[in-house]
Coordinates of all heavy atoms in Angstrom, one line a residue:
L1 N -4.3 -19.9 -7.5 CA -2.9 -20.1 -7.6 C -2.6 -21.0 -8.9 O -3.3 -22.0 -9.1 CB -2.5 -20.9 -6.3 CG -2.7 -20.2 -5.0 CD1 -2.5 -21.2 -3.9 CD2 -1.9 -19.0 -4.8
V2 N -1.7 -20.5 -9.7 CA -1.4 -21.2 -10.9 C 0.1 -21.4 -11.0 O 0.8 -20.4 -11.2 CB -1.9 -20.4 -12.1 CG1 -1.6 -21.2 -13.4 CG2 -3.4 -20.2 -12.0
E3 N 0.5 -22.7 -11.0 CA 2.0 -23.0 -11.0 C 2.4 -23.2 -12.5 O 1.6 -23.6 -13.4 CB 2.3 -24.3 -10.3 CG 2.0 -24.3 -8.8 CD 0.6 -24.9 -8.6 OE1 -0.3 -24.9 -9.4 OE2 0.4 -25.4 -7.4
S4 N 3.7 -22.9 -12.7 CA 4.3 -23.1 -14.0 C 5.8 -23.3 -13.8 O 6.3 -23.1 -12.8 CB 4.0 -22.0 -15.0 OG 4.6 -20.8 -14.5
G5 N 6.5 -23.7 -14.9 CA 8.0 -23.8 -14.8 C 8.5 -25.2 -14.7 O 9.7 -25.4 -14.8
G6 N 7.6 -26.2 -14.5 CA 8.1 -27.6 -14.4 C 8.7 -28.1 -15.7 O 8.5 -27.5 -16.8
G7 N 9.3 -29.3 -15.7 CA 9.8 -29.9 -16.9 C 10.7 -31.0 -16.6 O 10.7 -31.5 -15.5
L8 N 11.4 -31.5 -17.6 CA 12.4 -32.6 -17.5 C 13.8 -32.1 -17.5 O 14.2 -31.3 -18.4 CB 12.1 -33.6 -18.7 CG 13.2 -34.7 -18.8 CD1 13.1 -35.6 -17.6 CD2 12.9 -35.5 -20.1
V9 N 14.5 -32.4 -16.5 CA 15.9 -32.0 -16.4 C 16.8 -33.1 -15.9 O 16.3 -34.1 -15.4 CB 16.1 -30.8 -15.4 CG1 15.3 -29.6 -15.9 CG2 15.7 -31.2 -14.0
Q10 N 18.1 -33.0 -16.1 CA 19.0 -34.0 -15.8 C 19.5 -33.7 -14.4 O 19.4 -32.6 -13.8 CB 20.2 -34.0 -16.7 CG 19.9 -34.4 -18.1 CD 21.1 -34.7 -19.0 OE1 22.3 -34.3 -18.6 NE2 20.9 -35.3 -20.1
P11 N 19.9 -34.7 -13.6 CA 20.5 -34.6 -12.3 C 21.5 -33.5 -12.3 O 22.4 -33.5 -13.2 CB 21.0 -35.9 -11.9 CG 20.2 -36.9 -12.7 CD 19.9 -36.2 -14.1
G12 N 21.5 -32.7 -11.3 CA 22.4 -31.5 -11.1 C 22.1 -30.2 -11.7 O 22.6 -29.2 -11.5
E13 N 21.0 -30.3 -12.6 CA 20.6 -29.1 -13.2 C 19.6 -28.3 -12.3 O 19.3 -28.8 -11.2 CB 19.9 -29.4 -14.6 CG 20.9 -29.9 -15.6 CD 20.3 -30.2 -17.0 OE1 19.1 -30.3 -17.1 OE2 21.0 -30.2 -18.0
S14 N 19.1 -27.2 -12.9 CA 18.3 -26.2 -12.1 C 16.9 -26.0 -12.8 O 16.8 -26.2 -14.0 CB 18.9 -24.9 -11.9 OG 20.1 -25.1 -11.1
L15 N 15.9 -25.7 -12.0 CA 14.7 -25.2 -12.5 C 14.1 -24.1 -11.6 O 14.4 -24.2 -10.4 CB 13.6 -26.4 -12.5 CG 13.5 -27.3 -13.8 CD1 12.5 -28.3 -13.5 CD2 13.1 -26.4 -15.0
K16 N 13.3 -23.3 -12.1 CA 12.7 -22.2 -11.3 C 11.1 -22.3 -11.5 O 10.7 -22.1 -12.7 CB 13.1 -20.8 -11.6 CG 12.6 -19.7 -10.7 CD 13.2 -18.5 -10.9 CE 12.9 -17.4 -9.9 NZ 13.5 -16.1 -10.1
L17 N 10.4 -22.7 -10.5 CA 9.0 -22.8 -10.5 C 8.3 -21.4 -10.1 O 8.9 -20.6 -9.4 CB 8.5 -23.9 -9.5 CG 9.0 -25.3 -9.8 CD1 8.3 -26.2 -8.8 CD2 8.9 -25.7 -11.2
S18 N 7.2 -21.1 -10.8 CA 6.5 -20.0 -10.4 C 5.1 -20.2 -10.0 O 4.5 -21.3 -10.5 CB 6.4 -19.0 -11.7 OG 7.7 -18.6 -12.1
C19 N 4.5 -19.5 -9.2 CA 3.1 -19.6 -8.8 C 2.5 -18.2 -8.9 O 2.7 -17.4 -8.0 CB 3.0 -20.2 -7.3 SG 1.3 -20.3 -6.6
A20 N 1.6 -18.0 -9.8 CA 0.9 -16.8 -10.0 C -0.3 -16.7 -9.1 O -1.1 -17.6 -9.1 CB 0.5 -16.6 -11.5
A21 N -0.3 -15.7 -8.2 CA -1.4 -15.6 -7.2 C -2.3 -14.5 -7.5 O -1.9 -13.4 -8.1 CB -0.8 -15.4 -5.9
S22 N -3.6 -14.7 -7.3 CA -4.6 -13.7 -7.4 C -5.7 -13.8 -6.5 O -5.9 -14.9 -5.9 CB -5.1 -13.7 -8.9 OG -5.8 -15.0 -9.1
G23 N -6.4 -12.7 -6.2 CA -7.6 -12.8 -5.3 C -7.2 -12.6 -3.8 O -8.1 -12.6 -3.0
F24 N -5.9 -12.3 -3.5 CA -5.6 -12.0 -2.2 C -4.3 -11.3 -2.2 O -3.6 -11.1 -3.2 CB -5.4 -13.3 -1.3 CG -4.3 -14.2 -1.8 CD1 -3.1 -14.3 -1.0 CD2 -4.4 -15.0 -2.9 CE1 -2.1 -15.1 -1.4 CE2 -3.4 -15.8 -3.3 CZ -2.2 -15.9 -2.6
I25 N -3.8 -10.8 -1.0 CA -2.6 -10.0 -1.0 C -1.4 -10.9 -0.7 O -1.3 -11.4 0.4 CB -2.7 -8.9 0.2 CG1 -4.0 -8.0 -0.1 CG2 -1.5 -8.0 0.2 CD1 -4.3 -7.1 1.0
L26 N -0.6 -11.2 -1.8 CA 0.5 -12.1 -1.6 C 1.4 -11.7 -0.4 O 1.8 -12.6 0.3 CB 1.2 -12.2 -2.9 CG 2.4 -13.1 -3.0 CD1 2.0 -14.5 -2.8 CD2 3.2 -12.9 -4.3
S27 N 1.7 -10.5 -0.3 CA 2.7 -10.0 0.7 C 2.1 -10.3 2.2 O 2.9 -10.3 3.1 CB 3.0 -8.5 0.5 OG 1.9 -7.8 0.7
S28 N 0.9 -10.5 2.3 CA 0.3 -10.7 3.6 C 0.0 -12.1 4.0 O -0.6 -12.4 5.0 CB -1.1 -9.8 3.7 OG -0.9 -8.5 3.5
A29 N 0.4 -13.0 3.0 CA 0.0 -14.4 3.2 C 1.3 -15.3 3.5 O 2.4 -15.0 2.9 CB -0.7 -14.9 2.1
D30 N 1.2 -16.2 4.3 CA 2.2 -17.3 4.4 C 2.1 -18.2 3.2 O 1.0 -18.7 2.9 CB 2.1 -18.1 5.7 CG 2.4 -17.3 6.9 OD1 3.0 -16.2 6.8 OD2 2.1 -17.8 8.0
M31 N 3.1 -18.4 2.5 CA 3.1 -19.2 1.2 C 3.9 -20.4 1.4 O 5.1 -20.4 1.9 CB 3.5 -18.4 0.0 CG 2.6 -17.1 -0.3 SD 1.0 -17.5 -0.7 CE 1.1 -18.5 -2.1
H32 N 3.5 -21.6 0.8 CA 4.2 -22.8 0.9 C 4.3 -23.5 -0.4 O 3.5 -23.2 -1.4 CB 3.4 -23.8 1.8 CG 3.1 -23.4 3.2 ND1 3.9 -23.9 4.3 CD2 2.2 -22.5 3.7 CE1 3.4 -23.4 5.4 NE2 2.4 -22.5 5.0
W33 N 5.4 -24.3 -0.6 CA 5.5 -25.2 -1.7 C 5.4 -26.6 -1.1 O 6.0 -26.9 -0.1 CB 6.8 -25.0 -2.4 CG 6.8 -23.9 -3.4 CD1 7.4 -22.6 -3.1 CD2 6.3 -23.8 -4.7 NE1 7.3 -21.8 -4.2 CE2 6.6 -22.6 -5.2 CE3 5.7 -24.7 -5.6 CZ2 6.3 -22.1 -6.4 CZ3 5.3 -24.3 -6.8 CH2 5.6 -23.0 -7.2
Y34 N 4.6 -27.5 -1.8 CA 4.5 -28.9 -1.5 C 4.9 -29.7 -2.7 O 4.9 -29.1 -3.8 CB 3.1 -29.3 -1.0 CG 2.8 -28.9 0.4 CD1 2.4 -27.6 0.7 CD2 2.7 -29.9 1.5 CE1 2.1 -27.2 2.0 CE2 2.3 -29.5 2.7 CZ 2.0 -28.2 3.0 OH 1.7 -27.9 4.3
R35 N 5.1 -31.0 -2.5 CA 5.3 -31.8 -3.7 C 4.8 -33.2 -3.3 O 4.7 -33.6 -2.2 CB 6.8 -32.0 -4.0 CG 7.7 -32.6 -3.0 CD 9.2 -32.6 -3.4 NE 10.0 -33.2 -2.5 CZ 11.3 -33.1 -2.6 NH1 11.9 -32.5 -3.5 NH2 12.1 -33.8 -1.6
Q36 N 4.5 -33.9 -4.4 CA 3.9 -35.3 -4.3 C 4.6 -36.2 -5.4 O 4.3 -35.9 -6.6 CB 2.4 -35.3 -4.4 CG 1.8 -36.7 -4.1 CD 0.3 -36.6 -3.8 OE1 -0.4 -35.7 -4.3 NE2 -0.2 -37.7 -3.2
A37 N 5.3 -37.2 -5.0 CA 6.0 -38.1 -5.9 C 5.0 -39.2 -6.1 O 4.1 -39.5 -5.3 CB 7.2 -38.6 -5.3
P38 N 5.1 -39.9 -7.2 CA 4.3 -41.1 -7.5 C 4.2 -42.1 -6.4 O 5.3 -42.5 -5.9 CB 4.9 -41.7 -8.8 CG 5.7 -40.6 -9.4 CD 6.2 -39.7 -8.3
G39 N 3.0 -42.4 -5.9 CA 2.8 -43.5 -4.9 C 3.2 -42.9 -3.5 O 3.2 -43.8 -2.6
K40 N 3.4 -41.7 -3.3 CA 3.8 -41.2 -2.0 C 2.8 -40.1 -1.6 O 2.1 -39.5 -2.4 CB 5.2 -40.6 -2.1 CG 6.3 -41.7 -2.3 CD 7.7 -41.1 -2.1 CE 8.7 -42.2 -2.2 NZ 10.1 -41.6 -2.0
E41 N 2.8 -39.8 -0.3 CA 2.0 -38.8 0.2 C 2.6 -37.4 -0.1 O 3.8 -37.3 -0.4 CB 1.9 -38.9 1.7 CG 1.0 -40.1 2.1 CD 0.7 -40.1 3.6 OE1 1.1 -39.2 4.3 OE2 0.0 -41.0 4.1
R42 N 1.7 -36.4 -0.3 CA 2.1 -35.1 -0.4 C 3.0 -34.6 0.8 O 2.7 -34.8 1.9 CB 1.0 -34.1 -0.6 CG 1.3 -32.8 -1.1 CD 0.0 -32.0 -1.5 NE -0.7 -32.6 -2.6 CZ -1.7 -32.0 -3.2 NH1 -2.2 -30.8 -2.8 NH2 -2.4 -32.7 -4.2
E43 N 4.2 -34.0 0.5 CA 5.0 -33.5 1.5 C 5.4 -32.0 1.4 O 5.5 -31.5 0.3 CB 6.4 -34.4 1.4 CG 7.3 -34.1 0.3 CD 8.7 -34.7 0.4 OE1 9.1 -35.1 1.5 OE2 9.4 -34.8 -0.6
W44 N 5.6 -31.4 2.5 CA 5.9 -30.0 2.6 C 7.3 -29.8 2.1 O 8.3 -30.6 2.5 CB 5.7 -29.5 4.0 CG 6.1 -28.2 4.2 CD1 5.5 -27.0 3.9 CD2 7.3 -27.7 4.8 NE1 6.2 -25.9 4.3 CE2 7.4 -26.3 4.9 CE3 8.4 -28.4 5.4 CZ2 8.4 -25.6 5.4 CZ3 9.4 -27.7 5.9 CH2 9.5 -26.3 6.0
V45 N 7.6 -28.7 1.4 CA 8.9 -28.4 0.9 C 9.5 -27.2 1.5 O 10.6 -27.1 1.9 CB 8.9 -28.3 -0.7 CG1 10.3 -27.9 -1.2 CG2 8.4 -29.7 -1.3

């Protein structure tokens, strides 16, 4: 799994993240996004 698309934006703006998947059938898998802020635990998104 390889993520891309992050960056620096201003409040109110938009971003689109991508996750390139290989080695399995994407359509057959449950897929999640998580995030981890500085000093915080990883949280499900």
